């Protein structure tokens, strides 16, 4: 009934459109330990058809599963389309709830992974204050020989890109945007849990400090 | 006299106290009082997890199938095998036949000693033969109202769950008080087993009907449980529930007793819990003048239990192995399985190898504390407000800002403590300057619940259970 993500699925070598998600760790407190699950989209299916982003519920073949972490593997257009649809539906809500939702989602672009155009980068930061730029994708897989769910990090090269283009980014942003970028970056640094690799963390800190100096 | 001798001498009196139900057998099989099929069904349903149960209409009435949303019919065990990790499935579901094992109640000396014996159980406890309270099961065996309830597998080679049952003595005539303390559960003890157990006790020991009694549970009646516990005096209790400490016999060797908090307390309906019902829990223990060097438990089949009296007064520091009086040593949390969660360190070693957490007021092994270093950690107080649950830990922490969460009327309804490591102090202050006030060199206060706090600390929304909202007086300057 369910697909279980293998390590290959988590690294998505074959670039499928899919989501990997984990049962809501905050929602339940019990002695039971659950596997991460994998849902692969059909050609016509959109992310929104399966994932209720407002409530973080995946509809898996008719069974609804509350989730906390969702890793989306899809094309850039589809992912941005998802953000647009959230904003439409969520515009009556506070921005904070929007942030919270986005905070639970990791995206990996399967057609141009990490190679976002600078304009896109700035556009997203300005419009939604999304932390796309600083995400390192932590994803789950399940290996029966290990007995428990494991995680791997798919490094996101956006930090390097941000660092290379700091001056352009600063020029393109107004004061409010700059503050927002800084806050987004510092958020991810505060949540060191999301960045397991110390080197990655230190590089992130380096970018943050450089931005801090210039903003 | 040794524990064994004292136990044997007490046994006739203990059996009389417990309504002679143990006259013929010290261990009684009361499995008939449990509906095993229902237990199995409940466990399978429970294993679905709230993240599925709460978002689907699930019909679990069929013994073998779940039906989701009136459409999807799946085999229960096959479905659970898909969603649970293999280890978890083997432990919790494949072993379900064992979990729905036999229910016993016992006053047998040797079953008492096996209560946390790793050869029989899967949990770690201070009552284990190498635990810091390893003498307490011996003490319990010499208590008139002490029984042990246990669920075992079919051949009784494993204890799946167990709990101590205490019936206090009256302060004046030392007869049994109409009150049943079911202490904390170790292992698995499903609610139907709990219900069957108390029904058996009420019917056989109190010659009454369960309908005439009411049960208070720690989860839902915490205040009442605390009140009832505080009316119970336990001899030399030094940890556990809210019991009063009692010193009875100066002739007997003083041994610190850990008496778990009660998970359930039952009293007759006719008694008001405010009426001050209470009693004594007393242990005979071993005599002070019994100065044999080696007090070996007499047993044909249990020859490895060995009690050295000096252990009662002195312990060995787990680090330097020097001998110290127990009351001059510190309990230090350790995740090293050799120490069953807690190790004793002398005053000389504790500063070097442990970290004292001021909020939790406990010592922690320094290595463990540092390994679990995170950026932030949050304490969530329980209802009693004086016991703090360790949420996560961090090293190099000096600041303990306090976050007050207000309701719409500005009334403080929730309080948490945020621990900010020094190294992130500046970042924290920069991000939170709108709602954090520095009120001293090392003191910060978060003035109110600002939505941005939920952004920075998403856990707080879960902790407080509140949708972010500002107290009215803060609205104007929040942005």
């Amino acid at each position: 009934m369910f697909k279980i993500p293998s390590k290959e699925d988590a690294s998505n070598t074959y670039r499928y459109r899919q989501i990997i998600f984990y049962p809501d760790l905050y929602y339940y407190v019990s002695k039971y330990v659950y596997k991460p699950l994998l849902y692969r989209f059909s050609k016509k299916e959109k992310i929104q058809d399966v994932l209720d982003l407002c409530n973080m519920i995946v509809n898996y073949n008719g069974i609804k599963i509350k989730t906390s972490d969702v890793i989306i593997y899809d094309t850039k257009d589809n992912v941005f389309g998802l953000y647009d649809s959230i904003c439409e539906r969520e515009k009556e809500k506070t921005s904070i709830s929007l942030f919270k939702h986005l905070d639970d989602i990791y995206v990996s672009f399967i057609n141009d992974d990490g190679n976002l155009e600078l304009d896109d980068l700035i556009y997203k930061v300005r419009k939604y204050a999304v932390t796309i730029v600083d995400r390192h994708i932590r994803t789950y897989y399940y290996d029966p020989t290990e007995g428990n769910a494991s995680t791997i990090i798919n490094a996101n090269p956006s930090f390097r890109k941000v660092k290379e283009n700091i001056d352009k980014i600063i020029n393109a942003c107004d004061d409010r945007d700059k503050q927002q970028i800084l806050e987004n970056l510092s958020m991810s640094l505060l949540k060191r849990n999301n960045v397991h690799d110390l080197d990655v963390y230190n590089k992130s800190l380096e970018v943050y400090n450089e931005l801090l100096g210039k903003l | 006299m040794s524990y064994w001798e004292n136990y044997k001498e007490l046994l006739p009196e203990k059996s009389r106290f417990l309504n002679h139900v143990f006259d013929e057998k010290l261990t009684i099989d009361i499995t008939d009082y449990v509906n095993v099929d229902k237990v199995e069904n409940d466990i399978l349903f429970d294993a679905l997890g709230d993240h599925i149960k709460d978002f689907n209409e699930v019909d679990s009435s069929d013994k073998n199938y779940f039906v989701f949303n009136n459409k999807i019919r799946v085999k229960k065990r096959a479905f659970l095998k898909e969603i649970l990790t293999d280890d978890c499935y083997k432990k919790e579901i494949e072993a379900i036949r064992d979990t729905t094992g036999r229910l016993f109640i016992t006053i047998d000396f040797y079953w008492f000693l096996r209560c946390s014996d790793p050869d029989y159980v899967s949990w770690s406890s201070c009552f284990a033969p190498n635990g810091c309270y390893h003498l307490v099961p011996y003490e319990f065996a010499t208590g008139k109202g002490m029984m042990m309830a246990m669920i075992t597998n079919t051949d009784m080679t494993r204890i799946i769950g167990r709990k101590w049952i205490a019936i206090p003595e009256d302060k004046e005539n030392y007869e049994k008080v109409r009150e049943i303390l079911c202490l904390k559960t170790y292992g698995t003890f499903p609610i139907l087993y709990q219900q069957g157990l108390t029904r058996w006790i009420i019917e056989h020991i109190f010659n009454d009907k369960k309908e005439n009694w009411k049960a208070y549970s720690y989860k839902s009646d915490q205040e009442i449980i605390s009140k009832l516990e505080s009316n119970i005096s336990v001899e030399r209790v030094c940890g556990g529930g809210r019991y009063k400490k009692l010193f009875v016999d100066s002739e007997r060797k003083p041994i610190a007793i850990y008496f778990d908090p009660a998970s359930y307390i039952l009293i007759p309906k006719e008694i008001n819990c405010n009426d001050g019902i209470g009693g004594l829990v007393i242990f005979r223990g071993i005599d002070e003048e019994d100065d044999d060097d080696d007090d070996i438990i007499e047993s044909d089949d249990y020859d490895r239990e060995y009690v050295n009296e000096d252990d009662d007064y002195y312990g060995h520091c787990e680090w330097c192995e020097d001998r110290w009086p127990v009351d001059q040593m510190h309990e230090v949390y350790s995740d090293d399985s050799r120490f069953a969660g807690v190790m004793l360190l002398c005053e000389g070693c504790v500063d070097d190898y442990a970290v004292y957490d001021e909020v939790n007021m406990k010592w922690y092994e320094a290595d463990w504390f540092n390994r679990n270093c995170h950026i932030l950690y949050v304490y969530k107080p329980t209802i009693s407000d004086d016991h703090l649950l360790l949420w996560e830990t961090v090293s190099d922490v000096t600041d303990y800002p306090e976050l007050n969460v207000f309701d719409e009327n500005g009334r403080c309804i929730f309080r948490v403590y945020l621990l900010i490591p020094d190294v992130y102090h500046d970042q924290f202050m920069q991000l939170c300057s709108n709602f954090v006030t520095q009120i001293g060199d090392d003191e910060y206060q978060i003035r109110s619940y600002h939505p941005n706090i939920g952004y920075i600390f998403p856990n707080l929304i879960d902790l407080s259970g509140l949708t972010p909202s500002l107290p009215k007086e803060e609205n104007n300057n929040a942005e």
Side-chain angles (χ1 to χ4, degrees):
Chain A
M1 176 151 203
F2 297 116
K3 287 188 175 67
I4 312 298
S6 66
K7 199 167 184 176
E8 287 71 30
D9 291 325
S11 58
N12 201 18
T13 314
Y14 299 106
R15 298 188 170 245
Y16 288 113
R17 292 181 59 231
Q18 62 184 27
I19 55 173
I20 290 175
F21 61 100
Y22 209 81
D24 191 341
L25 299 175
Y26 297 114
Y27 189 77
Y28 74 87
V29 178
S30 81
K31 59 189 173 184
Y32 300 106
V33 185
Y34 299 91
K35 295 173 189 167
L37 299 174
L38 165 70
Y39 185 89
R40 205 159 275 161
F41 297 111
S42 63
K43 275 188 179 175
K44 290 182 180 175
E45 228 165 14
K46 290 182 181 174
I47 306 171
Q48 299 91 303
D49 298 335
V50 176
L51 174 63
D52 172 0
L53 215 45
C54 297
N55 300 306
M56 292 299 284
I57 292 172
V58 175
N59 187 337
Y60 203 125
N61 296 332
I63 295 177
K64 291 176 182 172
I65 302 171
K66 176 80 171 167
T67 175
S68 56
D69 288 334
V70 179
I71 302 101
I72 300 171
Y73 302 80
D74 209 336
T75 62
K76 187 178 72 177
D77 287 346
N78 284 346
V79 171
F80 282 1
L82 176 69
Y83 286 143
D84 287 334
S85 72
I86 303 166
C87 293
E88 283 303 312
R89 285 205 303 271
E90 294 282 291
K91 59 187 174 187
E92 296 300 321
K93 297 194 177 180
T94 62
S95 60
I96 199 71
S97 64
L98 179 63
F99 289 153
K100 184 172 190 304
H101 288 150
L102 294 178
D103 201 45
D104 295 325
I105 300 164
Y106 301 81
V107 291
S108 182
F109 303 106
I110 63 174
N111 51 356
D112 48 6
D113 193 359
N115 294 318
L116 291 178
E117 291 302 315
L118 187 61
D119 287 346
D120 285 336
L121 205 64
I122 294 170
Y123 168 74
K124 298 318 293 181
V125 170
R126 292 183 70 178
K127 189 168 180 186
Y128 306 119
V130 175
T131 55
I132 291 175
V133 291
D134 55 20
R135 277 286 177 242
H136 301 274
I137 310 297
R138 180 185 62 181
T139 186
Y140 305 97
Y141 68 95
Y142 183 77
D143 184 341
T145 58
E146 294 176 18
N148 277 316
S150 305
T151 60
I152 57 172
I153 304 277
N154 295 331
N156 186 333
S158 299
F159 257 123
R160 176 182 52 77
K161 203 165 181 61
V162 171
K163 196 179 174 191
E164 285 170 3
N165 294 286
I166 281 180
D167 291 331
K168 289 182 189 173
I169 292 174
I170 291 171
N171 288 336
C173 296
D174 59 22
D175 286 346
R176 188 173 173 276
D177 295 331
K178 289 174 190 170
Q179 189 61 29
Q180 194 68 65
I181 292 170
L182 206 58
E183 283 196 13
N184 287 341
L185 286 169
S186 56
M187 290 306 107
S188 74
L189 292 174
L190 274 171
K191 292 179 187 169
R192 187 171 164 182
N193 284 348
N194 291 339
V195 187
H196 293 264
D197 187 322
L198 193 59
D199 286 341
V200 172
Y201 179 79
N202 287 336
K203 282 174 187 166
S204 307
L205 194 60
E206 200 179 308
V207 175
Y208 173 79
N209 286 333
E210 192 165 342
L211 266 176
L212 192 61
K214 295 196 175 187
L215 288 173
Chain B
M1 283 200 292
S2 70
Y3 281 117
W4 171 248
E5 287 165 341
N6 260 337
Y7 165 78
K8 279 196 298 187
E9 190 175 281
L10 175 72
L11 202 50
E13 170 62 12
K14 182 166 183 164
S15 189
R16 188 200 62 76
F17 183 81
L18 297 172
N19 205 26
H20 297 285
V21 291
F22 294 102
D23 281 359
E24 292 182 7
K25 288 184 191 171
L26 298 179
T27 302
I28 302 173
D29 187 343
I30 58 173
T31 315
D32 288 348
Y33 274 67
V34 184
N35 181 343
V36 175
D37 281 345
K38 187 165 187 329
V39 172
E40 180 175 333
N41 203 36
D42 285 353
I43 291 173
L44 292 176
F45 184 62
D46 187 49
L48 271 183
D50 292 343
H51 62 294
I52 294 180
K53 282 189 293 185
D54 287 2
F55 300 93
N56 297 276
E57 195 179 316
V58 187
D59 181 354
S60 180
S61 55
D62 188 296
K63 189 180 175 187
N64 296 316
Y65 291 90
F66 291 124
V67 180
F68 291 95
N69 306 316
N70 295 320
K71 287 180 188 168
I72 302 162
R73 190 164 182 262
V74 295
K75 281 191 175 174
K76 286 181 176 175
R77 284 171 184 265
F79 185 85
L80 292 172
K81 193 167 188 178
E82 281 198 53
I83 62 171
L84 292 171
T85 62
D86 292 6
D87 288 351
C88 179
Y89 183 81
K90 279 178 193 161
K91 188 179 166 195
E92 305 293 345
I93 307 299
E94 275 187 358
I96 207 167
R97 294 292 171 192
D98 280 342
T99 307
T100 56
R102 299 163 70 188
L103 175 62
F104 292 93
I105 189 158
T106 184
I107 59 167
D108 187 320
F109 187 81
Y110 297 111
W111 276 116
F112 274 36
L113 304 193
R114 291 168 191 145
C115 69
S116 288
D117 186 333
D119 288 348
Y120 283 85
V121 306
S122 58
W123 57 84
S124 301
S125 146
C126 295
F127 288 11
N130 63 346
C132 49
Y133 284 104
H134 68 281
L135 287 178
V136 174
Y138 293 80
E139 293 280 330
F140 282 4
T142 64
K144 259 199 310 192
M146 292 302 298
M147 299 175 278
M148 188 173 86
M150 59 182 179
I151 302 172
T152 75
N153 59 355
T154 45
D155 57 3
M156 295 181 80
T157 55
R158 300 288 296 170
I159 300 174
I160 297 154
R162 64 97 171 140
K163 60 173 63 192
W164 298 106
I165 308 293
I167 295 174
E169 302 173 32
D170 188 274
K171 290 172 184 171
E172 292 176 0
N173 60 19
Y174 298 102
E175 287 302 321
K176 57 180 172 287
V177 172
R178 287 162 67 76
E179 183 171 19
I180 304 166
L181 308 179
C182 303
L183 307 189
K184 182 182 162 186
T185 292
Y186 287 76
T188 303
F189 213 104
I191 185 71
L192 282 167
Y193 279 79
Q194 170 68 37
Q195 290 168 347
L197 168 70
T198 49
R199 187 157 64 89
W200 185 90
I201 293 172
I202 291 167
E203 289 180 9
H204 289 79
I205 294 180
F206 290 97
N207 294 329
D208 203 346
K209 291 180 179 175
K210 192 167 180 189
E211 296 75 50
N212 299 332
W213 288 57
K214 55 191 166 187
Y216 297 104
S217 81
Y218 182 79
K219 278 185 183 169
S220 52
D221 311 300
Q222 209 172 60
E223 283 186 25
I224 297 175
I225 290 272
S226 297
K227 184 180 287 183
L228 289 169
E229 277 184 348
S230 64
N231 286 328
I232 304 284
S233 301
V234 181
E235 190 176 4
R236 293 193 170 89
V237 62
C238 69
R242 294 172 173 267
Y243 308 102
K244 285 181 191 160
K245 198 167 193 171
L246 178 70
F247 295 96
V248 175
D249 184 1
S250 60
E251 297 294 308
R252 98 166 191 68
K253 182 171 282 190
I255 287 170
I257 299 291
Y258 193 94
F259 205 77
D260 286 319
S263 55
Y264 294 92
I265 296 180
L266 289 93
I267 58 175
K269 283 181 181 170
E270 68 205 35
I271 298 176
N272 189 320
C273 62
N274 295 317
D275 287 348
I277 182 173
L280 313 172
V281 179
I282 304 169
F283 312 104
R284 282 197 177 191
I286 47 178
D287 303 333
E288 181 77 83
E289 66 270 19
D290 186 12
D291 56 357
D292 293 344
D293 285 338
D294 298 334
D295 181 8
I296 299 171
I297 301 303
E298 298 167 10
S299 167
D300 294 335
D301 61 353
Y302 206 90
D303 57 1
R304 70 191 172 82
E305 284 302 325
Y306 174 88
V307 182
N308 185 325
E309 288 181 2
D310 284 345
D311 287 350
D312 304 336
Y313 297 110
Y314 296 96
H316 289 273
C317 171
E318 308 277 11
W319 207 273
C320 65
E321 298 187 348
D322 282 355
R323 234 163 137 253
W324 282 72
V326 170
D327 58 3
Q328 291 180 30
M329 296 170 76
H330 298 276
E331 287 187 352
V332 176
Y333 173 82
S334 165
D335 67 342
D336 189 329
S337 57
R338 286 176 300 164
F339 304 122
V342 177
M343 60 180 181
L344 282 176
L345 293 187
C346 67
E347 288 186 343
C349 289
V350 74
D351 286 334
D352 293 336
Y353 304 111
V355 174
Y356 187 71
D357 185 276
E358 290 178 13
V359 170
N360 215 24
M361 293 185 289
K362 287 181 180 174
W363 288 94
Y364 292 91
E365 188 190 6
D367 283 350
W368 178 86
F369 204 75
N370 293 331
R371 275 201 309 276
N372 287 276
C373 168
H374 297 297
I375 299 293
L376 298 169
Y377 71 127
V378 177
Y379 282 111
K380 177 190 178 188
T382 61
I383 292 171
S384 62
D385 209 35
D386 62 358
H387 176 77
L388 294 161
L389 175 69
L390 187 62
W391 206 257
E392 291 177 38
T393 59
V394 67
S395 62
D396 302 327
V397 171
T398 55
D399 303 328
Y400 294 79
E402 182 179 300
L403 167 65
N404 297 302
V405 181
F406 296 85
D407 66 9
E408 291 177 352
N409 300 317
R411 187 170 59 98
C412 180
I413 54 173
F414 194 82
R415 182 172 295 160
V416 294
Y417 300 90
L418 304 174
L419 289 88
I420 315 296
D422 282 350
V423 67
Y424 298 105
H425 168 263
D426 290 344
Q427 281 180 32
F428 176 78
M429 286 306 291
Q430 185 183 356
L431 291 165
C432 304
S433 57
N434 283 343
F435 40 85
V436 171
T437 307
Q438 185 159 0
I439 54 178
D441 287 345
D442 298 323
E443 209 171 346
Y444 302 84
Q445 187 165 20
I446 297 180
R447 293 194 302 269
S448 65
Y449 189 80
H450 187 285
N452 280 352
I453 291 184
Y455 178 29
I456 298 166
F457 311 113
N459 282 350
L460 293 184
I461 295 173
D462 299 328
L463 286 175
S464 64
L466 292 177
T467 306
S469 66
L470 289 171
K472 283 174 184 171
E473 64 270 25
E474 295 287 332
N475 267 334
N476 295 335
N477 57 8
E479 296 297 323

Coordinates of all heavy atoms in Angstrom, one line a residue, chain B residues 39-61:
Chain B
V39 N -7.9 -6.5 24.6 CA -6.6 -5.9 24.8 C -5.9 -5.9 23.4 O -5.3 -4.9 23.0 CB -5.8 -6.7 25.8 CG1 -4.4 -6.2 25.9 CG2 -6.5 -6.5 27.2
E40 N -5.9 -7.0 22.8 CA -5.1 -7.1 21.5 C -5.7 -6.1 20.5 O -4.9 -5.4 19.8 CB -5.3 -8.6 21.0 CG -4.5 -8.8 19.7 CD -4.5 -10.2 19.2 OE1 -4.7 -11.1 20.1 OE2 -4.4 -10.4 18.0
N41 N -7.0 -6.1 20.4 CA -7.6 -5.1 19.5 C -7.2 -3.7 19.8 O -6.9 -2.9 18.9 CB -9.1 -5.3 19.5 CG -9.8 -4.8 18.2 OD1 -9.2 -5.0 17.2 ND2 -10.9 -4.2 18.4
D42 N -7.2 -3.4 21.1 CA -6.9 -2.0 21.5 C -5.4 -1.7 21.1 O -5.1 -0.6 20.7 CB -7.1 -1.8 23.0 CG -8.6 -1.7 23.3 OD1 -9.4 -1.6 22.4 OD2 -8.9 -1.7 24.5
I43 N -4.5 -2.7 21.3 CA -3.1 -2.4 21.0 C -2.9 -2.2 19.5 O -2.2 -1.3 19.1 CB -2.3 -3.6 21.5 CG1 -2.3 -3.7 23.0 CG2 -0.8 -3.5 21.0 CD1 -1.6 -4.9 23.6
L44 N -3.6 -3.0 18.7 CA -3.4 -2.8 17.3 C -4.0 -1.4 16.8 O -3.3 -0.7 16.0 CB -4.2 -3.9 16.5 CG -3.6 -5.3 16.7 CD1 -4.5 -6.3 16.0 CD2 -2.2 -5.4 16.1
F45 N -5.1 -1.0 17.4 CA -5.6 0.3 17.1 C -4.7 1.4 17.5 O -4.4 2.4 16.8 CB -7.0 0.4 17.7 CG -7.7 1.7 17.3 CD1 -8.1 2.0 16.0 CD2 -8.1 2.6 18.3 CE1 -8.7 3.1 15.7 CE2 -8.7 3.8 18.0 CZ -9.0 4.1 16.7
D46 N -4.2 1.2 18.7 CA -3.3 2.3 19.3 C -2.1 2.4 18.4 O -1.6 3.5 18.2 CB -2.9 1.8 20.7 CG -2.1 2.9 21.4 OD1 -2.6 4.1 21.4 OD2 -1.1 2.6 22.0
A47 N -1.6 1.3 17.9 CA -0.4 1.3 17.1 C -0.5 2.1 15.8 O 0.5 2.5 15.1 CB 0.1 -0.1 16.8
L48 N -1.7 2.4 15.4 CA -1.9 3.2 14.2 C -1.4 4.6 14.3 O -0.9 5.2 13.4 CB -3.4 3.4 13.9 CG -4.1 2.3 13.0 CD1 -5.6 2.7 12.8 CD2 -3.4 2.2 11.6
G49 N -1.3 5.1 15.6 CA -0.8 6.4 15.8 C -1.8 7.5 15.7 O -2.7 7.4 14.8
D50 N -1.7 8.5 16.5 CA -2.7 9.6 16.4 C -2.6 10.4 15.1 O -3.5 11.0 14.6 CB -2.4 10.6 17.6 CG -2.7 10.0 18.9 OD1 -3.5 9.0 18.9 OD2 -2.3 10.6 19.9
H51 N -1.4 10.3 14.4 CA -1.2 11.0 13.2 C -2.1 10.4 12.1 O -2.3 11.0 11.0 CB 0.2 11.1 12.8 CG 0.8 9.8 12.5 ND1 1.0 8.8 13.5 CD2 1.3 9.2 11.4 CE1 1.6 7.7 13.0 NE2 1.7 7.9 11.7
I52 N -2.6 9.2 12.3 CA -3.5 8.6 11.3 C -4.9 8.5 11.9 O -5.9 8.9 11.3 CB -3.0 7.2 10.9 CG1 -1.7 7.3 10.1 CG2 -4.1 6.4 10.1 CD1 -1.1 5.9 9.7
K53 N -5.0 8.1 13.2 CA -6.3 7.9 13.8 C -7.1 9.2 13.8 O -8.3 9.2 13.6 CB -6.1 7.4 15.2 CG -5.8 6.0 15.3 CD -5.9 5.5 16.8 CE -4.8 6.1 17.6 NZ -4.7 5.6 19.0
D54 N -6.4 10.3 14.1 CA -7.2 11.6 14.3 C -7.6 12.2 12.9 O -8.4 13.2 13.0 CB -6.3 12.6 15.0 CG -6.1 12.2 16.5 OD1 -6.7 11.2 16.9 OD2 -5.5 13.0 17.2
F55 N -7.2 11.7 11.8 CA -7.5 12.3 10.5 C -8.3 11.4 9.6 O -8.5 11.8 8.4 CB -6.2 12.8 9.9 CG -5.5 13.8 10.8 CD1 -4.5 13.4 11.6 CD2 -5.8 15.2 10.8 CE1 -3.8 14.3 12.5 CE2 -5.2 16.1 11.6 CZ -4.2 15.6 12.5
N56 N -8.6 10.3 10.1 CA -9.4 9.3 9.3 C -10.5 8.7 10.2 O -10.4 8.6 11.4 CB -8.5 8.2 8.8 CG -7.5 8.7 7.9 OD1 -7.7 8.9 6.7 ND2 -6.3 8.9 8.4
E57 N -11.6 8.3 9.5 CA -12.6 7.6 10.2 C -12.1 6.1 10.2 O -12.0 5.5 9.1 CB -13.9 7.7 9.5 CG -15.1 7.3 10.4 CD -16.4 7.5 9.6 OE1 -16.5 8.6 9.0 OE2 -17.2 6.6 9.6
V58 N -11.8 5.6 11.3 CA -11.2 4.2 11.4 C -12.1 3.3 12.1 O -12.5 3.5 13.3 CB -9.8 4.2 12.1 CG1 -9.2 2.8 11.9 CG2 -8.9 5.3 11.5
D59 N -12.6 2.2 11.4 CA -13.4 1.2 12.1 C -12.5 0.0 12.4 O -11.9 -0.6 11.5 CB -14.5 0.8 11.1 CG -15.4 -0.3 11.8 OD1 -15.1 -0.7 12.9 OD2 -16.4 -0.7 11.1
S60 N -12.3 -0.2 13.7 CA -11.4 -1.2 14.2 C -12.2 -2.4 14.8 O -11.6 -3.3 15.5 CB -10.4 -0.6 15.2 OG -9.5 -1.6 15.7
S61 N -13.5 -2.5 14.6 CA -14.3 -3.5 15.3 C -14.0 -4.9 14.8 O -14.1 -5.8 15.5 CB -15.8 -3.1 15.1 OG -16.1 -3.0 13.8

